Amino acid sequence: MLSKNIESVLNKQVRIEAESSQVYLSMACWAETHGLEGVAQFMYRQSDEERQHMLKLIKYVNERGGHAIITDLKPPKTSFGTFKEMFEELYQHELFVSNSINELVHIAFDEKDYATHNFLQWYVAEQIEEEAQAKTILDKINLIGDDKGGLYLFDRDIQQITVRSASAVGKN
Ligand code: FEO
């Protein structure tokens, strides 16, 4: 049985994951309307991943005697300047999510809720993957600089990047 406090902080994370999904969906739309088909596909997959993160939390809350709450969401930005700026935002967003997960782990430990603490380890592993992936992509973008041919190849290559994550190992 979840404490009211744990239920509430997990519900905040439900919202963060839902908003993350919307952020990446919006990035997918921006990329798709700017001729970056590969980037768009990558962002659509990323958005789906975030929805899975949200659902996993929802199921956990409901199974542990809590009630997962679905709320309205903060609207994401719809325009991103350059694709480099967009990936910088993705990276910053993942750092924000990691901080939020770390905070949750801390609260679960403080409350001696070891079941939730254990559940959250999946998210800790996931965030390591997501941060590393975002950083790798940013490094590639910095190598390309303003080279248009490089951007073309990048857009093609990013389609090969499967959104590798902890979920691929231990699905739900
Ligand atoms: Fe669910 Fe990308 O963090």
Side-chain angles (χ1 to χ4, degrees):
M1 184 81 184
L2 297 175
S3 74
K4 279 290 157 206
N5 185 41
I6 296 279
E7 180 180 357
S8 158
V9 291
L10 288 176
N11 266 321
K12 272 195 200 135
Q13 192 65 31
V14 166
R15 183 178 179 146
I16 287 174
E17 300 294 347
E19 285 176 347
S20 301
S21 182
Q22 297 296 88
V23 166
Y24 298 144
L25 197 53
S26 188
M27 288 180 175
C29 291
W30 184 86
E32 199 160 45
T33 53
H34 284 75
L36 295 165
E37 192 51 40
V39 172
Q41 293 312 317
F42 172 84
M43 289 299 181
Y44 280 126
R45 287 198 301 270
Q46 195 71 27
S47 174
D48 285 347
E49 277 279 308
E50 300 301 347
R51 181 175 160 76
Q52 291 307 317
H53 297 174
M54 175 194 71
L55 285 172
K56 197 174 168 76
L57 275 159
I58 287 173
K59 289 191 177 138
Y60 179 76
V61 170
N62 290 340
E63 273 168 13
R64 300 272 304 151
H67 179 183
I69 302 296
I70 308 304
T71 66
D72 59 346
L73 303 174
K74 189 168 84 186
K77 272 172 66 172
T78 53
S79 180
F80 297 93
T82 64
F83 84 108
K84 181 179 170 180
E85 281 169 36
M86 186 175 74
F87 276 101
E88 271 163 3
E89 283 197 30
L90 179 144
Y91 182 54
Q92 290 304 322
H93 188 78
E94 288 306 327
L95 293 180
F96 159 75
V97 174
S98 293
N99 278 338
S100 177
I101 296 290
N102 283 345
E103 193 54 34
L104 279 177
V105 170
H106 180 74
I107 294 167
F109 191 79
D110 252 14
E111 285 205 18
K112 297 192 172 75
D113 181 344
Y114 298 117
T116 299
H117 188 272
N118 185 51
F119 167 76
L120 289 170
Q121 296 313 305
W122 184 88
Y123 287 85
V124 172
E126 183 73 12
Q127 284 314 118
I128 292 170
E129 292 279 350
E130 295 224 348
E131 276 183 41
Q133 179 178 263
K135 189 72 176 55
T136 303
I137 292 171
L138 267 186
D139 288 346
K140 277 191 207 294
I141 291 172
N142 284 324
L143 278 176
I144 298 167
D146 292 329
D147 179 41
K148 289 264 185 270
L151 173 57
Y152 174 79
L153 291 176
F154 172 81
D155 187 55
R156 201 191 58 185
D157 287 353
I158 198 170
Q159 300 199 44
Q160 312 305 322
I161 299 182
T162 16
V163 180
R164 249 239 25 89
S165 64
S167 61
V169 183
K171 199 92 189 159
N172 289 339

